[in-house]
Amino acid sequence: MALIVQKFGGSSVSDAASIKRVAKRIVEARQAGNDVVVAVSAMGDTTDDLLELAADVAPEPAPRELDMLLSSGERISMALLAMAIHAMGYEARSFTGSQAGMITTADHGSARILDVTPVRLREALDDGAVVIVAGFQGFNRDTRDITTLGRGGSDTTAVALAAALGADVCEIYSDVDGIFTCDPRVVPMAKKLNVIGAEEMLELAANGAKVLYIRAVEYARRHNVLIHARSTFTPNEGTYVLGDGMPDPRLAKGEAMSDVIGKEEPVVAGVAIDRSQAKITVVGVPDVPGSAAAIFSRVAALGANIDMIVQNVQSASPGHTDISFTLPKDEAEAVAKQLKADHDELGFDNIYFDDEIGKLSVVGAGMRSHSGVSLTLFEALSSNGINVEMISTSEIRISVVLRDAYLDAAARAVHTAYGLDGDVEATVYAGTGR
Amino acid sequence: MALIVQKFGGSSVSDAASIKRVAKRIVEARQAGNDVVVAVSAMGDTTDDLLELAADVAPEPAPRELDMLLSSGERISMALLAMAIHAMGYEARSFTGSQAGMITTADHGSARILDVTPVRLREALDDGAVVIVAGFQGFNRDTRDITTLGRGGSDTTAVALAAALGADVCEIYSDVDGIFTCDPRVVPMAKKLNVIGAEEMLELAANGAKVLYIRAVEYARRHNVLIHARSTFTPNEGTYVLGDGMPDPRLAKGEAMSDVIGKEEPVVAGVAIDRSQAKITVVGVPDVPGSAAAIFSRVAALGANIDMIVQNVQSASPGHTDISFTLPKDEAEAVAKQLKADHDELGFDNIYFDDEIGKLSVVGAGMRSHSGVSLTLFEALSSNGINVEMISTSEIRISVVLRDAYLDAAARAVHTAYGLDGDVEATVYAGTGR
C-alpha cells in the first residue's frame, strides 16, 4: 500500500462536472489500496477574478490582505472536492495551508516554504480519509498570517507534502500526457519521455518547457521526491522525473531492463523553445574596465533578470565593444529606457531593442560525456539557412538565439537531427499544459 | 475615545462600489477618534452561489466541508474591505473567525459561540489599525475545524466581539433607519423608535420584526451590549436597543431629559406582523389525559416548532375537544401528514390545515403596569370587522391570529388605536431590512 500525492490545477477543477471527474480519479487511486493526499488549486479563473476585484477596490492592494483574499480560492475548490468524494462513499477531509502545517516565510505573494508539519494530515490518513490540501497557500509562524507561494505554488505544495509525508510518488496532473522531447504543438513528431532526469527537467523548464514549474522540480530534487507528470484525461503513465541516483520506477514495477533502457540512452533529452525574451544591444561601449558593470548595475537596479550576455570587440572602432543581452520582454522596455536616459554616463554610441527573437535550447545529461553535440545543432541550423545570433551553454545545455520567425522550423530541424522524432504524430490537447 | 463595533451585511458589500462606500463609513468613525472593529458578511449572494455549487457536486454536502466552503465568503469581503480602507490611507487588518478567537461548538452550520479570545484583535487595535473580522464563522477547539453560526450569524459575531472587547456600542447596519413601531411597508405612519428595551425587541423579533436577529439580541442582553440599529445610507441615528437598567445613550450625550423622555412613555412599543405560520386544527380529540401529549410528541419528533396552542372543549360532542396550534409553514405539511397517518392511535374526528393565517402581536413593557391594554386591541379589530381566531399572551405581549387577508388592515388599525402613528409617512427603502 503506497502513499500517493496528487496535484490538480485550476483547469482540472473549473466546474462541478470537472470536480466530479477529478473526485472519481482520486477515488480510483484510493480503491487501488493507496493512501491519497491531494493538493488542489483554485477553480478555473477564480484567482484572476479575485485579483480583478482587488484592483477595483484598491490601486495597490495591501499584500497581507491580497493573500487573505486569494487564499479563499483553494478553500472553495478543496471543500467541493472533498464533498464530491464523500458523495462517492469515501471519507475525505480538506485542510487549509495553515491546517496542513505549511509553514512559510512572511513574503506575501511569493512566500517560500520553510517547514511542513502535517500532523493533522497524518491523523486523517490514519482514519482512512482522503486528504485534500489547499495548494498555493501557507502561513507564517511569527506573523501568524496567511501567505501565498506565488506562480506555480500548487505544484510546490504537492511536492512539499510528498517530501514531508515520505510519499512514494507525487503525481502532477495537467492536460498534457507528460514531458515531451519538444512542444508537440510546434514539433508534431515530438515523443513523450517515459523518464527524465531532474537536472535535465530543470534546464528544459528554465528554457521554455511549461509542463512543470521550476520551483517544484527544484524542491523535488532537493528532497528526493519522485515526480510523475501525467494527464487528467487518460489513465496512461506520463513522465517520471528522476532525482539524482533515483531508480527507474518502471524497473521497480518489474518491467524488463531491456524495455526500460532499450538501446543506448540518447545524448539529448529534449529541445525547448522560448519566445518570452527580448534582446538589447548596446553598441560602442568604451572598452575599459567597469563599463559593462556600469550597464548591468542599472539593469539589476530595475530588478530585471538577464538570461544571456554576449560581448564582442568592435572591429570597426577599436577601443570600443558591443554588448548584447536578453531578458524577459515585459522587463526589457524599462531597461532600454533607463540605459538611454543614462547615455552620457555610459558613453555608448547607440542602443538597439529587439523583441522578435526566439531562443532554442538543446538539453541532455549525455552532453557531459559526448563531444560533437553542438556540431549537430549548428549543422542542422545552417543546413536550413537559419542564422545564429547568440550562443550560451551550460554543462548539459546549448542555447541559441534566432529570429522568432525561424524558431519553429529550427526546432523541427534540430529535433530530427538529434534523432528525437517519434514514429507517430503526438496527440495535442487544447490548453497550455498547465 | 470610544471602541465601536460595526456590522455590515452582504447587501452593504455586494460589489466594489459598495465596499468602498462602507470603507468610507468606517474611516469616518476612525477619524472621529474611535477604535473600530468591523464584522462583515459575505458579498451579496456569495453564500447562495456557494451553496448552489455544493448542491451540484454532492446531494448532501458533508457539514464540515460545507462550513469550510461557506467560510470562504467572508474572507473575500473582509480582505477587500481592508484593502479599501488601506487605499484611503488607514491601517486595517482582516481576521478569520479562528484568528479572531471566535470559539464555538462543533455543530457545523449552526454552531454556538462558547468563548471569544480576541488577543490578535487587541494587538491590532493597539497598533492603531481598524480591525475587520469575518462574520458568521468560528472554530471548534477540540476538532480544530472551521464552523459557521447559521442564520443571522454575522449579527451575533458583531455582538460577541462587542461583549468580548467591552465595546461602547455595537452598530448593526442595514438598509432601514432602525426599529419601527411597525413595518413601514405595511403601516406608512409607523414611527422609528429612538430606543427600545431588549426585552421588547426580543418579543418583536420573535413575532415577525426582521431588522435584528433574535440570537444577536439575546446575546447582547445577556452580556449587556448596547446595540445601535442604523442605516448604511444615512448618517442619522437609528434605534438603540437597551439592556435591563442600561442608561439611555441620548442622556449620556447630554441631551435634555425632556427631549428624551418627553411625555409619558407609551404603553406599547410596537406592533409586529408575521405571515410565516400555518395553523393545524385537530377536531374531536378524546378529552382524556395524554391525548394532547400524544399529538405534540409526534410534532416534536418531527422537529417542528409550535408557536401558539388553543384547546377548546367541544360543545357539540361532550368528552371531545378541539386542539389548534400554529407552526412555521415549511414545517406544517409534514406534521399534518404525520398526524393523519397516526389517525387510529390518536382517534380524532378530523384534521384541518390552514396556511392563510396571519399573526399580529402588540408588544410593550408598559403592559406589566397598565390594564386594559388588550381591550384597545380587541376594540380596534372588532370595530374594523376583523375576527380573532386565536389569542396568546406573554407578560409584555398580546398576539392574535387573523385571516391573512386582513392582517395589514388590522396592523394599521391597531397601530392607530395605540397612538403609535407618526406625523409623517416613514421613508421606505427597497430591501428586506437585512
Side-chain angles (χ1 to χ4, degrees):
Chain A
M1 155 130 161
L3 171 56
I4 299 178
V5 173
Q6 301 183 322
K7 180 262 176 176
F8 295 95
S11 60
S12 301
V13 292
S14 55
D15 56 20
S18 51
I19 286 172
K20 285 185 198 168
R21 192 192 312 124
V22 167
K24 191 162 166 300
R25 186 93 195 208
I26 294 166
V27 165
E28 283 164 4
R30 185 84 187 91
Q31 287 169 326
N34 303 296
D35 278 338
V36 184
V37 173
V38 177
V40 65
S41 306
M43 291 172 69
D45 306 326
T46 307
T47 304
D48 293 341
D49 297 345
L50 291 173
L51 283 169
E52 205 173 296
L53 266 174
D56 289 347
V57 295
E60 288 167 354
R64 176 190 185 273
E65 301 304 329
L66 196 57
D67 276 358
M68 177 71 85
L69 178 73
L70 295 180
S71 68
S72 64
E74 291 81 30
R75 288 166 81 97
I76 294 172
S77 54
M78 75 186 191
L80 291 170
L81 189 51
M83 291 175 192
I85 294 170
H86 263 281
M88 295 175 71
Y90 286 79
E91 167 74 345
R93 268 175 241 167
S94 68
F95 297 95
T96 63
S98 42
Q99 289 176 332
M102 196 66 59
I103 301 161
T104 74
T105 62
D107 313 311
H108 288 292
S110 60
R112 301 269 149 183
I113 296 170
L114 294 174
D115 190 12
V116 184
T117 56
V119 184
R120 296 193 63 181
L121 309 191
R122 283 227 173 72
E123 290 172 359
L125 288 172
D126 293 345
D127 296 348
V130 171
V131 168
I132 315 286
V133 177
F136 178 69
Q137 60 180 255
F139 79 107
N140 178 265
R141 255 191 180 145
D142 307 326
T143 63
R144 288 163 299 168
D145 286 334
I146 285 135
T147 56
T148 63
L149 306 181
R151 195 153 184 290
S154 294
D155 286 18
T156 313
T157 300
V159 173
L161 288 172
L165 294 165
D168 297 86
V169 61
C170 179
E171 300 181 335
I172 309 275
Y173 286 85
S174 73
D175 55 10
V176 296
D177 287 345
I179 313 300
F180 283 74
T181 49
C182 195
D183 184 340
R185 288 164 298 176
V186 174
V187 179
M189 302 311 284
K191 284 196 309 273
K192 190 202 80 188
L193 295 162
N194 294 320
V195 295
I196 185 170
E199 194 185 12
E200 293 170 312
M201 188 65 242
L202 281 171
E203 286 282 8
L204 286 175
N207 289 282
K210 294 214 168 44
V211 179
L212 292 175
Y213 282 105
I214 298 176
R215 277 178 65 189
V217 179
E218 277 172 346
Y219 198 106
R221 190 184 181 197
R222 209 159 50 248
H223 296 82
N224 222 42
V225 171
L226 173 65
I227 290 180
H228 184 190
R230 60 193 304 186
S231 165
T232 318
F233 301 111
T234 76
N236 308 340
E237 291 216 325
T239 305
Y240 290 97
V241 182
L242 302 183
D244 314 341
M246 217 181 252
D248 189 317
R250 293 169 301 166
L251 288 176
K253 289 214 193 74
E255 289 181 33
M257 174 69 85
S258 59
D259 304 344
V260 176
I261 304 305
K263 58 201 167 329
E264 195 191 344
E265 285 290 288
V267 176
V268 168
V271 177
I273 60 176
D274 181 0
R275 287 192 157 87
S276 69
Q277 306 230 330
K279 181 174 75 171
I280 290 176
T281 304
V282 189
V283 179
V285 180
D287 193 3
V288 296
S291 57
I295 290 175
F296 293 121
S297 64
R298 283 163 169 79
V299 178
L302 290 165
N305 302 301
I306 288 185
D307 180 21
M308 293 166 67
I309 302 176
V310 173
Q311 177 168 357
N312 306 323
V313 172
Q314 249 191 7
S315 47
S317 60
H320 286 73
T321 176
D322 301 344
I323 298 175
S324 294
F325 56 92
T326 62
L327 68 176
K329 276 177 178 158
D330 52 13
E331 299 172 355
E333 297 215 12
V335 169
K337 199 147 156 281
Q338 181 65 54
L339 294 180
K340 278 178 194 150
D342 299 348
H343 173 275
D344 298 354
E345 299 100 89
L346 297 172
F348 52 80
D349 299 337
N350 217 333
I351 191 164
Y352 299 107
F353 177 77
D354 179 355
D355 61 359
E356 290 178 354
I357 61 165
K359 183 172 69 166
L360 180 146
S361 302
V362 175
V363 172
M367 290 187 189
R368 282 206 189 81
S369 49
H370 290 67
S371 56
V373 175
S374 55
L375 183 64
T376 310
L377 170 64
F378 296 123
E379 280 176 351
L381 294 173
S382 61
S383 65
N384 283 271
I386 299 170
N387 184 41
V388 174
E389 303 182 13
M390 293 174 83
I391 303 171
S392 81
T393 61
S394 84
E395 220 187 347
I396 64 166
R397 172 183 56 83
I398 312 168
S399 296
V400 291
V401 167
L402 321 164
R403 283 295 93 197
D404 186 356
Y406 301 147
L407 190 58
D408 292 356
R412 285 186 287 269
V414 170
H415 195 269
T416 304
Y418 282 107
L420 295 172
D421 290 355
D423 311 327
V424 296
E425 287 202 4
T427 330
V428 178
Y429 298 96
T432 63
R434 294 306 319 156
Chain B
M1 156 128 157
L3 171 56
I4 300 178
V5 173
Q6 301 183 322
K7 180 262 175 175
F8 294 95
S11 60
S12 302
V13 292
S14 56
D15 56 20
S18 51
I19 286 172
K20 286 186 199 166
R21 191 191 314 123
V22 167
K24 190 162 168 299
R25 186 94 195 208
I26 294 166
V27 165
E28 282 164 5
R30 186 85 187 89
Q31 286 169 327
N34 303 296
D35 278 337
V36 184
V37 174
V38 177
V40 64
S41 306
M43 291 172 69
D45 306 326
T46 307
T47 305
D48 294 341
D49 298 344
L50 291 173
L51 283 169
E52 205 172 296
L53 264 174
D56 289 346
V57 296
E60 289 167 353
R64 177 191 185 273
E65 301 304 328
L66 196 57
D67 277 358
M68 177 69 86
L69 178 73
L70 295 180
S71 67
S72 65
E74 291 81 30
R75 288 165 81 96
I76 294 172
S77 54
M78 76 185 190
L80 291 170
L81 189 52
M83 289 175 194
I85 293 170
H86 264 279
M88 295 176 70
Y90 286 78
E91 168 73 346
R93 270 176 239 167
S94 68
F95 296 94
T96 64
S98 41
Q99 288 177 333
M102 197 65 60
I103 302 161
T104 74
T105 62
D107 313 312
H108 288 292
S110 60
R112 302 269 148 181
I113 295 171
L114 293 173
D115 190 12
V116 184
T117 56
V119 184
R120 296 191 63 180
L121 309 191
R122 284 228 171 72
E123 290 171 0
L125 289 171
D126 294 344
D127 296 348
V130 171
V131 169
I132 315 287
V133 178
F136 178 69
Q137 60 180 256
F139 78 107
N140 179 265
R141 254 189 183 147
D142 308 325
T143 64
R144 288 163 298 168
D145 286 333
I146 286 136
T147 56
T148 63
L149 306 180
R151 197 154 182 290
S154 294
D155 286 18
T156 315
T157 300
V159 173
L161 288 173
L165 294 166
D168 298 85
V169 61
C170 179
E171 301 181 335
I172 308 274
Y173 286 84
S174 72
D175 55 10
V176 297
D177 288 347
I179 312 300
F180 282 74
T181 49
C182 194
D183 183 341
R185 286 164 299 179
V186 173
V187 180
M189 302 309 287
K191 283 197 308 275
K192 190 201 77 186
L193 296 162
N194 294 321
V195 294
I196 184 170
E199 193 185 14
E200 293 170 313
M201 188 65 241
L202 280 172
E203 286 282 7
L204 286 175
N207 290 282
K210 292 213 170 47
V211 179
L212 293 175
Y213 282 104
I214 297 175
R215 274 178 68 188
V217 178
E218 277 172 347
Y219 198 106
R221 189 185 184 198
R222 207 159 53 247
H223 295 83
N224 222 42
V225 171
L226 174 64
I227 289 179
H228 183 190
R230 62 193 304 187
S231 165
T232 317
F233 301 110
T234 76
N236 308 340
E237 292 216 325
T239 304
Y240 289 98
V241 182
L242 301 184
D244 314 342
M246 218 181 254
D248 188 318
R250 292 169 302 164
L251 289 175
K253 289 217 194 69
E255 291 181 32
M257 174 71 83
S258 59
D259 304 342
V260 176
I261 303 306
K263 57 202 167 330
E264 193 191 348
E265 285 290 287
V267 176
V268 169
V271 178
I273 60 177
D274 181 4
R275 287 192 157 88
S276 69
Q277 306 229 329
K279 182 173 72 169
I280 291 176
T281 303
V282 190
V283 178
V285 180
D287 192 3
V288 295
S291 58
I295 290 175
F296 293 120
S297 65
R298 283 164 170 78
V299 178
L302 289 165
N305 303 301
I306 289 185
D307 179 23
M308 294 168 66
I309 302 176
V310 172
Q311 174 166 359
N312 306 323
V313 174
Q314 250 194 9
S315 48
S317 61
H320 286 71
T321 175
D322 301 343
I323 298 177
S324 293
F325 56 92
T326 62
L327 68 176
K329 275 177 177 156
D330 52 12
E331 299 172 353
E333 297 216 11
V335 169
K337 200 149 156 281
Q338 181 65 53
L339 293 180
K340 277 178 195 150
D342 300 347
H343 173 273
D344 298 356
E345 300 100 87
L346 296 172
F348 53 80
D349 298 340
N350 216 331
I351 190 163
Y352 298 108
F353 177 78
D354 180 355
D355 60 1
E356 292 178 351
I357 62 164
K359 183 172 71 167
L360 181 148
S361 303
V362 175
V363 173
M367 290 187 186
R368 286 207 186 81
S369 50
H370 290 66
S371 56
V373 176
S374 56
L375 184 62
T376 310
L377 170 65
F378 296 123
E379 279 177 349
L381 293 173
S382 62
S383 66
N384 283 269
I386 299 171
N387 183 40
V388 174
E389 302 183 14
M390 295 172 82
I391 303 170
S392 81
T393 62
S394 84
E395 224 189 343
I396 65 167
R397 173 184 55 84
I398 312 168
S399 297
V400 292
V401 167
L402 319 165
R403 283 294 94 199
D404 187 355
Y406 301 149
L407 189 58
D408 293 355
R412 285 187 287 270
V414 171
H415 194 268
T416 304
Y418 281 108
L420 294 173
D421 290 355
D423 311 327
V424 294
E425 289 204 3
T427 329
V428 178
Y429 299 95
T432 63
R434 294 305 320 155

